[in-house]
Amino acid sequence: MSGTHRGTFEALRAQLREAAATFADGPDALEDILLGLVDDVDRAAGEPLEIFPVCHHSPASAIAMARRLRQKQPKVVYLELCEDMAPLLTELRNCRLPVAVQAFASDIDGFPAEWSPLSVVAPVTEASAEYQAIAYALDTPGVELVLVDRSSDHVFQWDTRATRPEEPGADEGEPGAPAADEEAALHGDAVGVEIGDLRPRFAQLEEHLLRHGKVRHWSEWWHQYVELPLGDGDHDTYRQVMFLIGSLFRRLAPGDPHRVRVDEDRERHMWTRMREHLAATGTDPADCLYVCGAFHAASRVEEFGVHGADTYRISPRTATTWQYGLIPSSHAAIEAQFGLAAGSVSIAATVWAKNVKRTRVEPFRLAGQAGTKKTKPRKHTAAPAPTTPAPASDKLTGFLRQPPVLDRLDETELLGWSVEIVRAARRNGYLASTADAIAVFETSILLAGMRDRAKPTPYDFQDAAVTCIEKDTVPGRRDVRRLVEIMLGGDRIGKVGYDALPPLARDVHDRLAPLNLKLQQRGVQRALLDIASRPELQQCSDVLWILRYLMPHGTARPIMGERTLGERPIQESWDVALGTHQRALIELGYEGVSIEQVLEQRLRRAAYDPQATAATVLEAVEDATLHLRGRRLADELGTRALEVLSAERGVDGAPEVLRRVRRLLAYYRTSEPVLPPWIESFVKAGYAHYCTLLPTAFTDDDATVRQVAAMLGFLFSMEGLALSLGCDRTQLELAVAQSHPADPSKTALLWAAQQQLGHLSRTDLRARCDELLANPLVVPAYPRYLSGFVHALEPVPGLTDFVVEAVSHAFGRLPDTVLLPWLPTLITTLRSGGADLAPLLIREAGRIFPGRLGALDAWVPPWQAPPEPETARPAPGAEGHRRGALLAAHPATCDAVADLLGCDGTWPTADSHPAGAALAGRHPDTAVALEALLSGT
């Protein structure tokens, strides 16, 4: 451990001892804390390897970093960032900040399965010290950037709890409340890693600071009491103050053993990596700069320092495969993920721009990065020769004693804010006026005075604007607080450039190029695809349909056109928002090199999931047929569907299985010369499977009428194909005979099945319904029988006219006390489970009932109409002799029929063959049959 310069802060130590004796009843504990703070500052300031403490997204840290880098020009920059993210930092020059460096793993090995997918992000903004260090190291020749923090694998590996970590580690901000804007969810549920998360972990301390500082949240306290005073401080003052704050928050943190262990392990890990690099390269520590959070800069671990006694053993990584990339970020996403006040990052960006202009410090920016101005390349000047650094002077005592800097009121700036917020409020529906601008101006000054501030801060102005402009309701999508955030800096949203995208994302952009859309632009764009006149747009349609399946809702939304089995599109219209959902597209690139590969993987994953049902596997088969065209995957998943169906013991998925099998059969019958073997086996196995389950389903209370009707629908509609494949119809007849339901609706369904099998005539079925209506004890349950008949239209659509008849009887004979409560049940039944059945009833009713109101009085239902009387017809024999003579007179007719039947020869006439003419006369039935053949009756 490096030695400390005990004489530097002796005066401060003496003052703190006096303060501890004066203000504490038991001075020992307080004196230990106060003197420990000074010891931490002294030790950190005396390290041979210069430590640069930072706070994440702090303009003061960024300005101090830029100034120190130009002054010291270190040869090696050690940065507190996940060491496995180093190769990706060069891609930052192809992006527009803010963006986040992401490590992503969907196929995990060594972690609990419920944690998947794993995601770690490290946001980078221009107003951050880490970006200044990265830009300096990447664009300065001869400078090496070394990331020394734990890897993404260790972020999860060090959390020994049994569930996925919900409370991030030392530099991982705690997730804030979910934000309403979609930009706040750009990071998803990733674990965030920041350089320098500096916030009290002791709740009482934070509450004390906020109360006495007369502020509402931590971001405002930091801005007022740390950010502004340090904005113009020199290097030594900045370092000592940040060391002091880090030590204070560290010593007053609650003693959570797990969190303390993670903090200390991270510090040992970073110092171990630095010692390894120094030993391997022989670099002088004086030529290095260690950039870390102020919390870790005040570390007290044994290995603190370059010359630690023992080498810390770093555990190996797990077998998890990690993918790396850049994803777009935003100010709102950073605030939401790390629990910062809304608008604080935007305000920091504004303060950064003002500090750069005021201090005239030239910041570092990556060459070629979007949004940066072109500047002449700087000539690299050699760093000064390393010398033994002189002990730092005590700047901390003077900083703590100096009175608050009274910054004079900038009336022009505040007036401009007031006018601009009124203009923005009017654009968003508020009835704001010039009087409101004056009120906001005066209220801002009043609030600043009440909070002991000479100049209103952006937070004071925000409170004043809400007080003066916002009324009872918010007329638009944004409230006044959000309008102030936008006005003071806006929620900047980053963008990952084309060159930094993964191969899958670039492939999507290339394949959608014929649409001539700005795909990286945020917002919704309309794409019109006239495929009939431009066949090359067919591939764009294919890509959009796959993106609709894989990406979040709204990425690709069809306005006109649909994709169904057996149909080819002619024209389509799409709303495309690929730039808005760029993060989701990038994460697709972690799963494969093309969207077809990712789709195939997801379909296989869904089909082979342990919880997969036959219906979900058939859905995967249909999706594979729709989007991947080829038969290979569809046949494989179809075989899997057969296996899942054979293992099922319930009938919950029967309706979905029936619907999808019918659709697939119709497609294969029209597009393929023969049916695929898997679907023939599926029909054969399904026929036997549902026959076996049918008796149990009729008596099972958990099986609904719709599910049993779907089983019967499968058996009856697939019966022809199943019998041709070797199934036995006797199995179905036995299953129906063994079914004895007690529920009225299932009983009606059973009667319909018996009628379809020929075991029950239409007359007997009508007689049973009449008996039900005639029995007063059964009348209240009659609507349930009708519900069963309605569901029976699925397996027996030929009963449509009978169902219309039964419903008509119910309306005519049921009492109102039974009929009226049943009507809502009938409507909801048809809407939820009978959407395909209602059109059958409507068409049949339209055919039977009169179309005009005037004809209703004289209308007689067909089931009540008397039978038509039979007209006298000639004897079959006489009619046959007459037709035989007619055939003999016109032999050409018989010749044509003979040719149709494949017979040779001519019809014998009376002249050529008297015996043939006599033959027709002796068998008149032949002539009658021929007439029926020709007339089609």
Side-chain angles (χ1 to χ4, degrees):
M1 184 179 297
S2 61
T4 58
H5 304 276
R6 301 292 299 178
T8 304
F9 298 99
E10 281 303 321
L12 181 59
R13 286 190 177 91
Q15 296 174 9
L16 293 178
R17 288 193 189 95
E18 295 176 3
T22 304
F23 296 104
D25 296 334
D28 292 342
L30 181 58
E31 181 178 347
D32 290 343
I33 294 176
L34 295 179
L35 296 182
L37 299 179
V38 181
D39 291 340
D40 291 343
V41 174
D42 199 0
R43 182 173 60 253
E47 278 295 325
L49 194 159
E50 181 179 337
I51 303 174
F52 195 95
V54 299
C55 174
H56 66 73
H57 306 303
S58 166
S61 294
I63 286 291
M65 173 63 72
R67 183 188 293 117
R68 183 56 178 167
L69 289 173
R70 295 198 180 279
Q71 177 185 3
K72 182 181 177 67
Q73 297 185 12
K75 297 179 181 179
V76 178
V77 177
Y78 297 114
L79 186 62
E80 179 196 333
L81 193 62
C82 294
E83 57 188 3
D84 52 337
M85 294 181 176
L88 206 63
L89 297 182
T90 57
E91 296 295 338
L92 288 175
R93 65 178 75 253
N94 298 319
C95 305
R96 185 180 64 197
L97 300 181
V99 296
V101 186
Q102 183 184 39
F104 185 89
S106 57
D107 184 14
I108 63 177
D109 184 359
F111 300 107
E114 59 269 17
W115 289 13
S116 180
L118 304 180
S119 180
V120 179
V121 296
V124 179
T125 64
E126 187 175 355
S128 59
E130 59 265 37
Y131 175 72
Q132 294 300 308
I134 292 171
Y136 164 78
L138 295 183
D139 281 355
T140 304
V143 176
E144 184 178 3
L145 177 65
V146 182
L147 305 188
V148 295
D149 199 3
R150 55 183 177 168
S151 67
S152 304
D153 195 89
H154 287 96
V155 170
F156 294 93
Q157 187 183 137
W158 288 2
D159 199 309
T160 57
R161 288 172 292 184
T163 57
R164 180 171 181 169
E166 297 177 358
E167 183 179 350
D171 281 359
E172 298 153 20
E174 299 185 9
D181 293 341
E182 61 180 8
E183 289 81 7
L186 285 177
H187 298 168
D189 58 352
V191 172
V193 177
E194 291 259 7
I195 299 180
D197 177 33
L198 205 55
R199 184 168 183 168
R201 296 181 183 175
F202 190 41
Q204 288 80 356
L205 174 60
E206 182 171 344
E207 181 182 356
H208 175 83
L209 294 176
L210 298 184
R211 182 174 67 253
H212 288 275
K214 298 180 181 179
V215 294
R216 291 171 295 122
H217 44 71
W218 174 252
S219 299
E220 185 176 0
W221 185 92
W222 180 269
H223 173 84
Q224 179 67 24
Y225 295 101
V226 179
E227 191 68 39
L228 296 181
L230 283 180
D232 295 324
D234 57 35
H235 174 62
D236 290 336
T237 301
Y238 169 83
R239 290 182 69 209
Q240 293 174 20
V241 171
M242 294 295 285
F243 286 146
L244 178 67
I245 296 174
S247 177
L248 175 66
F249 292 167
R250 189 183 188 98
R251 289 182 176 271
L252 295 184
D256 181 359
H258 170 73
R259 194 156 189 176
V260 171
R261 178 183 60 80
V262 171
D263 290 340
E264 294 181 350
D265 283 349
R266 292 185 66 182
E267 290 148 9
R268 293 187 179 100
H269 184 286
M270 290 187 285
W271 281 107
T272 299
R273 291 303 191 202
M274 286 186 286
R275 283 197 302 273
E276 291 175 351
H277 182 269
L278 290 174
T281 60
T283 307
D284 188 347
D287 294 333
C288 304
L289 187 68
Y290 172 32
V291 182
C292 68
F295 189 92
H296 296 297
S299 174
R300 292 170 292 164
V301 299
E302 294 180 0
E303 286 83 7
F304 186 82
V306 178
H307 307 291
D310 299 323
T311 301
Y312 173 68
R313 295 181 180 275
I314 300 175
S315 61
R317 301 182 189 179
T318 66
T320 299
T321 302
W322 289 90
Q323 305 285 341
Y324 301 92
L326 298 173
I327 62 173
S329 184
S330 68
H331 293 172
I334 297 171
E335 292 157 0
Q337 185 174 35
F338 295 94
L340 304 176
S344 59
V345 179
S346 298
I347 292 174
T350 304
V351 174
W352 157 257
K354 292 181 179 179
N355 287 351
V356 170
K357 184 177 181 180
R358 187 185 72 254
T359 61
R360 296 183 180 180
V361 173
E362 183 182 356
F364 292 93
R365 293 186 176 93
L366 288 171
Q369 190 169 37
T372 61
K373 297 180 180 179
K374 294 183 179 180
T375 58
K376 296 181 179 180
R378 294 181 291 105
K379 294 183 179 179
H380 175 64
T381 58
T387 57
T388 304
S393 59
D394 180 9
K395 298 295 185 69
L396 193 57
T397 303
F399 180 84
L400 296 177
R401 284 183 171 183
Q402 71 180 10
V405 179
L406 298 179
D407 194 0
R408 67 180 184 84
L409 172 64
D410 189 345
E411 293 186 358
T412 303
E413 180 187 57
L414 182 59
L415 186 61
W417 287 357
S418 303
V419 173
E420 189 63 31
I421 189 59
V422 169
R423 182 182 293 113
R426 290 183 63 85
R427 286 197 302 264
N428 284 268
Y430 288 92
L431 298 178
S433 62
T434 304
D436 292 310
I438 298 174
V440 172
F441 180 85
E442 298 294 342
T443 306
S444 301
I445 299 175
L446 177 62
L447 288 176
M450 295 172 61
R451 296 166 177 172
D452 296 333
R453 300 170 186 169
K455 176 182 178 181
T457 66
Y459 299 98
D460 297 327
F461 172 75
Q462 187 178 58
D463 292 340
V466 172
T467 303
C468 299
I469 298 177
E470 194 164 273
K471 305 301 186 289
D472 296 336
T473 59
V474 177
R477 187 168 66 93
R478 299 185 176 99
D479 57 11
V480 174
R481 187 174 303 279
R482 178 65 177 143
L483 293 177
V484 173
E485 295 169 9
I486 295 174
M487 187 195 73
L488 292 179
D491 183 17
R492 296 182 186 175
I493 302 172
K495 182 177 68 174
V496 179
Y498 175 86
D499 294 331
L501 292 174
L504 179 144
R506 293 201 298 269
D507 179 62
V508 169
H509 282 257
D510 294 340
R511 293 167 66 179
L512 294 180
L515 299 180
N516 296 321
L517 298 179
K518 297 179 180 179
L519 297 176
Q520 288 197 323
Q521 179 178 314
R522 295 183 60 84
V524 179
Q525 302 177 72
R526 180 63 57 86
L528 303 176
L529 284 72
D530 188 1
I531 302 175
S533 60
R534 296 182 59 191
E536 67 273 11
L537 295 180
Q538 175 65 49
Q539 67 168 354
C540 297
S541 173
D542 296 339
V543 172
L544 290 173
W545 282 108
I546 297 178
L547 290 178
R548 180 177 181 267
Y549 182 90
L550 297 175
M551 298 280 285
H553 176 72
T555 305
R557 185 167 63 93
I559 304 301
M560 180 185 69
E562 62 178 355
R563 174 157 290 200
T564 56
L565 290 173
E567 295 186 5
R568 300 193 66 84
I570 299 176
Q571 287 184 335
E572 291 180 352
S573 176
W574 290 81
D575 275 351
V576 182
L578 207 59
T580 304
H581 299 275
Q582 192 182 52
R583 166 182 169 264
L585 180 63
I586 292 172
E587 290 186 348
L588 280 185
Y590 302 153
E591 302 182 42
V593 296
S594 68
I595 53 177
E596 287 81 7
Q597 181 187 7
V598 175
L599 177 61
E600 182 173 339
Q601 292 175 354
R602 292 196 180 181
L603 292 177
R604 276 203 177 92
R605 191 181 307 131
Y608 287 92
D609 188 271
Q611 305 299 324
T613 63
T616 57
V617 180
L618 287 176
E619 181 182 5
V621 173
E622 186 173 346
D623 291 334
T625 305
L626 278 176
H627 301 303
L628 299 179
R629 306 292 187 185
R631 282 269 304 276
R632 175 186 56 82
L633 181 62
D635 291 348
E636 176 188 339
L637 299 182
T639 305
R640 169 64 179 169
L642 175 61
E643 299 172 359
V644 174
L645 179 68
S646 302
E648 286 184 349
R649 295 296 176 263
V651 296
D652 295 344
E656 189 70 10
V657 169
L658 173 62
R659 184 171 65 90
R660 295 195 178 277
V661 167
R662 280 178 173 173
R663 197 153 53 204
L664 288 169
L665 267 176
Y667 167 72
Y668 286 129
R669 281 171 171 164
T670 56
S671 62
E672 301 286 345
V674 294
L675 291 178
W678 76 264
I679 201 167
E680 293 182 348
S681 301
F682 189 91
V683 171
K684 184 178 179 180
Y687 188 85
H689 179 73
Y690 285 133
C691 282
T692 304
L693 297 180
L694 188 62
T696 305
F698 266 113
T699 57
D700 188 3
D701 294 337
D702 294 333
T704 64
V705 184
R706 180 168 175 261
Q707 293 168 355
V708 179
M711 295 174 62
L712 290 172
F714 186 95
L715 294 172
F716 289 146
S717 60
M718 308 290 169
E719 185 177 17
L721 179 58
L723 296 180
S724 68
L725 295 174
C727 294
D728 191 355
R729 194 169 192 264
T730 306
Q731 188 177 7
L732 174 58
E733 294 178 347
L734 289 175
V736 173
Q738 294 172 357
S739 302
H740 305 287
D743 183 72
S745 56
K746 291 183 180 179
T747 300
L749 194 60
L750 178 62
W751 292 347
Q754 292 173 345
Q755 196 274 337
Q756 176 70 10
L757 291 174
H759 299 165
L760 189 67
S761 65
R762 183 71 66 91
T763 303
D764 295 336
L765 190 59
R766 186 176 290 110
R768 291 187 180 185
C769 293
D770 292 338
E771 291 176 5
L772 295 176
L773 286 173
N775 189 342
L777 299 178
V778 184
V779 164
Y782 186 74
R784 299 179 63 186
Y785 285 93
L786 289 181
S787 297
F789 282 127
V790 171
H791 282 287
L793 296 180
E794 178 73 63
V796 192
L799 283 180
T800 306
D801 58 338
F802 175 79
V803 175
V804 173
E805 175 185 344
V807 173
S808 300
H809 276 299
F811 276 84
R813 297 178 60 178
L814 285 178
D816 291 346
T817 56
V818 177
L819 181 62
L820 294 180
W822 170 66
L823 287 179
T825 304
L826 175 63
I827 295 173
T828 55
T829 299
L830 291 175
R831 177 176 295 179
S832 61
D836 298 335
L837 308 177
L840 297 176
L841 292 176
I842 294 172
R843 284 197 299 268
E844 185 65 22
R847 186 184 67 83
I848 293 177
F849 293 104
R852 297 183 178 276
L853 184 62
L856 186 61
D857 295 335
W859 175 72
V860 178
W863 52 85
Q864 294 181 359
E868 296 182 2
E870 295 184 1
T871 57
R873 295 184 178 180
E879 183 68 15
H881 287 296
R882 184 182 66 80
R883 291 170 178 168
L886 188 62
L887 283 176
H890 300 280
T893 303
C894 298
D895 293 340
V897 175
D899 293 338
L900 181 63
L901 297 176
C903 299
D904 297 331
T906 57
W907 179 261
T909 61
D911 298 333
S912 63
H913 201 300
L919 184 64
R922 287 196 305 270
H923 300 281
D925 294 340
T926 304
V928 176
L930 181 60
E931 181 190 19
L933 176 63
L934 296 177
S935 61
T937 60

